[in-house]
Amino acid sequence: MSENLDKSNINEAGKSDDSKQGLEDAVDGSDEALQKRINSGSPSPQRLQRPHSSPPRFVTVEELLETAKGVTNMALAHEIVVNGDFRIKPVELPEDSLEKRVKEIVHKAFWDCLSVQLSEDPPTYDHAIKLVGEIKETLLSFLLPGHTRLRNQITEVLDLDLIKQEAENGALDISKLAEFIIGMMGTLCAPARDEEVKKLKDIKEIVPLFRAIFTVLDLMKVDMANFAVSSIRPHLMQQSVEYERKKFQELLEKQPNSLDFVTQWLEEASADLMNQKYKNSLPAEDGAAGSQNTVMPSRIAVQNYAYLKLLKWDHLQRPFPETVLMDQSRFQELQLQLEQLTVLGAVLLVTFSMTGPGIFSQADFAEKLKMLVKILLIDMHLPSFHLKDALTAIGEKVCVEVSSCLALCGFTPFTTDKETVLMGQIQAVASSDNPIRRIMDSRILTFLETYLASGHQKPFPTVPGGLGLVQKELEEVAIKFVRLVNYNKMVFSPYYDAILSKSLVKS
């Protein structure tokens, strides 16, 4: 909102920062800190053990509606806390929709009626006074408790009883009221709305002016709602872990099989680690020995590995685990970003191997080449995207850039045979079984696993060889991934521990 509005909240913001720090540290911190935070405020795992798989009991329609409402509220709270970019947007009805046509007809009828009243001799102000009353309430809703002077000004100038008396006596100056309203809007609006408010001063006709005022007020309401969201986020963060867990427990009591996919997900991760299926790419943590030849992974190691499996999930063929269902789209986005990074890293590694270190030591050339490849892979998430065709174009562009750089630097130029080999190797990256691509994929997963185990507050682990050119992008993805995982652990680890206690003992 305005500078005055922001300044009045500085003290509250400072307090909020202190109060939320503990939870944020746990979300960002290591597994040890996270586990301490979970244990300190969590019900015992025994109380949260997964019920025996059984069909859901019969519930009433009222119970189902209440449960749906709880899940909706939980999803909204989760979105506000997890998504730092969460914003409320103005409602825009679809073009040519019935709702939009009805709204336009009703609004036109109202404004036409206002125009007729104001054009009478003498003018009738019934509709205009109602509008002023609505504007008054809206302006008052923007104020904080400390804005006593502004509240008194609005109440005094927009006194509806006094305005009615002036209208009855023919002494009402509607233009003067509009001028005061615009001035107050300029005081209370966010800086982004200054231009819209300024344009209101250029409208001279009363009806178009009031229509424009309400349009800008609607935008200011959205700004105020977003301001409120940013203000409550620190407080909501403190309560969201307990809130989400409570709501999920209520859902679990009504639908006892709501952990079936979670159980399958965790047991599969545990079995993979036990069999050391991905020994080369995902090293297991130390654990207790189950037998002479088998090392039992810790529950933290299983959970970490399970979250890494979500980055390779087949979303079309497999149901997503229930506890991370609200974040499925986020895991899909991370998965696509990592696939793009894998291809990008493989292309750069192939090019680097073919051209030698000399060319990549040239100022800005490596970054220029990376940006070129990234641009050509930008639509990789679209169904219409064909990786093989894109890599063909990338191979041609890379060869042109490399040849140009070699010529400028006085190095031995690329032969036709070398260009053909380089383009062929780049095109081969299209296959998921390509050795270079598999190496990139394995090293990326290793980096994420190491970072997840170490936590945010420690320095980034050393980036594996070959990933130096995409280090910045990889670290950005790693931060998002670890924050998402740690927050999910804060909420659901008691359930995971209960499931894994049974699973590991059984194993």
Side-chain angles (χ1 to χ4, degrees):
M1 302 303 291
S2 67
E3 291 182 5
N4 293 334
L5 199 59
D6 289 336
K7 288 178 182 177
S8 66
N9 285 276
I10 290 176
N11 293 332
E12 288 188 12
K15 295 178 182 177
S16 300
D17 290 341
D18 294 336
S19 62
K20 73 176 180 178
Q21 191 61 46
L23 182 57
E24 287 189 330
D25 287 346
V27 172
D28 290 344
S30 64
D31 281 324
E32 291 78 7
L34 184 65
Q35 195 64 40
K36 289 179 183 177
R37 180 75 187 186
I38 292 167
N39 294 335
S40 66
S42 307
S44 64
Q46 286 75 17
R47 188 167 65 86
L48 296 171
Q49 286 181 355
R50 176 177 174 269
H52 295 293
S53 182
S54 59
R57 67 179 179 84
F58 290 105
V59 294
T60 64
V61 174
E62 289 77 12
E63 286 179 308
L64 286 175
L65 290 174
E66 187 64 29
T67 301
K69 180 180 178 182
V71 171
T72 301
N73 291 339
M74 180 173 67
L76 179 58
H78 182 88
E79 181 70 20
I80 292 173
V81 171
V82 174
N83 183 5
D85 297 324
F86 177 84
R87 294 290 182 274
I88 298 170
K89 297 180 180 179
V91 177
E92 295 183 3
L93 297 176
E95 289 292 334
D96 299 326
S97 64
L98 177 62
E99 294 88 343
K100 186 167 186 176
R101 291 201 299 272
V102 170
K103 180 180 178 180
E104 289 174 348
I105 291 170
V106 171
H107 280 205
K108 185 177 184 303
F110 176 84
W111 294 113
D112 287 347
C113 182
L114 176 63
S115 181
V116 169
Q117 285 191 348
L118 294 178
S119 61
E120 292 176 357
D121 189 16
T124 303
Y125 291 105
D126 293 347
H127 275 32
I129 293 173
K130 289 180 181 178
L131 291 180
V132 171
E134 290 183 28
I135 292 171
K136 175 184 177 181
E137 294 303 316
T138 301
L139 292 176
L140 290 174
S141 71
F142 294 153
L143 301 181
L144 295 175
H147 292 157
T148 305
R149 183 178 60 83
L150 294 177
R151 190 181 305 277
N152 291 338
Q153 276 186 307
I154 294 172
T155 304
E156 181 180 343
V157 177
L158 302 183
D159 184 338
L160 296 186
D161 291 334
L162 179 61
I163 292 173
K164 288 177 183 177
Q165 291 179 13
E166 291 177 345
E168 291 170 358
N169 295 319
L172 179 61
D173 187 348
I174 197 73
S175 299
K176 187 176 180 181
L177 286 179
E179 183 180 344
F180 170 80
I181 291 169
I182 294 171
M184 191 58 64
M185 289 170 66
T187 301
L188 297 176
C189 73
R193 304 298 173 200
D194 286 342
E195 194 61 32
E196 281 101 331
V197 174
K198 185 178 179 181
K199 290 178 180 178
L200 296 177
K201 298 177 182 179
D202 298 330
I203 304 175
K204 304 304 179 185
E205 296 183 19
I206 294 300
V207 174
L209 176 58
F210 269 94
R211 292 190 70 164
I213 285 174
F214 272 92
T215 299
V216 177
L217 284 176
D218 286 341
L219 295 175
M220 290 175 62
K221 288 178 183 177
V222 175
D223 294 338
M224 188 63 188
N226 284 320
F227 175 79
V229 167
S230 64
S231 299
I232 68 170
R233 182 178 283 115
H235 306 285
L236 184 60
M237 194 172 219
Q238 297 175 23
Q239 307 297 327
S240 60
V241 171
E242 289 79 6
Y243 178 76
E244 287 193 41
R245 191 182 299 148
K246 175 185 175 183
K247 288 299 179 183
F248 187 81
Q249 182 65 32
E250 291 174 359
L251 175 65
L252 189 60
E253 289 170 359
K254 292 182 173 62
Q255 304 287 337
N257 57 349
S258 295
L259 282 172
D260 285 357
F261 295 130
V262 171
T263 303
Q264 181 182 353
W265 167 52
L266 292 175
E267 289 180 347
E268 184 180 296
S270 176
D272 285 347
L273 280 181
M274 295 273 289
N275 296 330
Q276 303 217 343
K277 186 175 180 180
Y278 297 104
K279 180 178 179 182
N280 294 329
S281 60
L282 298 172
E285 295 183 9
D286 294 335
S291 68
Q292 186 175 359
N293 298 321
T294 304
V295 177
M296 295 290 289
S298 68
R299 286 179 293 186
I300 290 177
V302 173
Q303 289 185 42
N304 287 350
Y305 181 76
Y307 283 110
L308 287 168
K309 286 176 69 69
L310 297 180
L311 299 175
K312 295 291 183 181
W313 202 262
D314 186 349
H315 295 272
L316 296 178
Q317 299 297 326
R318 295 190 62 185
F320 213 58
E322 296 91 341
T323 53
V324 285
L325 201 56
M326 287 191 293
D327 289 315
Q328 183 172 9
S329 62
R330 290 188 177 88
F331 280 104
Q332 283 179 292
E333 182 181 353
L334 290 172
Q335 184 174 348
L336 290 170
Q337 289 177 1
L338 289 175
E339 287 177 4
Q340 186 182 45
L341 275 182
T342 301
V343 174
L344 175 61
V347 169
L348 295 176
L349 183 60
V350 166
T351 307
F352 177 85
S353 302
M354 284 287 295
T355 58
I359 190 171
F360 274 84
S361 63
Q362 300 303 308
D364 301 328
F365 177 74
E367 193 65 26
K368 177 183 178 182
L369 199 63
K370 181 175 74 172
M371 291 305 299
L372 185 150
V373 178
K374 282 178 70 174
I375 290 171
L376 294 174
L377 293 175
I378 197 168
D379 293 330
M380 194 169 169
H381 63 287
L382 299 177
S384 58
F385 182 85
H386 296 288
L387 182 57
K388 189 173 181 179
D389 295 341
L391 288 172
T392 299
I394 287 171
E396 294 172 355
K397 292 282 187 182
V398 166
C399 285
V400 170
E401 293 296 331
V402 168
S403 297
S404 175
C405 185
L406 288 172
L408 287 174
C409 298
F411 294 130
T412 304
F414 244 26
T415 63
T416 304
D417 290 341
K418 275 193 173 184
E419 287 188 356
T420 303
V421 172
L422 177 56
M423 285 192 289
Q425 289 188 0
I426 290 176
Q427 290 171 7
V429 173
S431 171
S432 58
D433 292 327
N434 176 261
I436 304 298
R437 182 169 170 178
R438 291 179 66 181
I439 289 173
M440 288 293 99
D441 185 62
S442 173
R443 291 177 181 178
I444 286 173
L445 289 178
T446 299
F447 177 83
L448 291 175
E449 191 276 339
T450 306
Y451 187 44
L452 183 58
S454 66
H456 257 205
Q457 293 179 337
K458 300 177 182 179
F460 278 104
T462 303
V463 174
L467 293 174
L469 289 172
V470 295
Q471 179 175 347
K472 179 183 175 183
E473 292 81 0
L474 181 56
E475 289 177 352
E476 288 175 355
V477 173
I479 289 172
K480 294 178 185 177
F481 174 65
V482 172
R483 283 185 62 86
L484 193 58
V485 169
N486 281 349
Y487 182 79
N488 190 270
K489 283 182 180 180
M490 290 285 294
V491 179
F492 296 110
S493 270
Y495 297 95
Y496 299 158
D497 288 343
I499 292 170
L500 289 174
S501 296
K502 290 182 178 181
S503 175
L504 293 177
V505 168
K506 188 189 301 182
S507 300

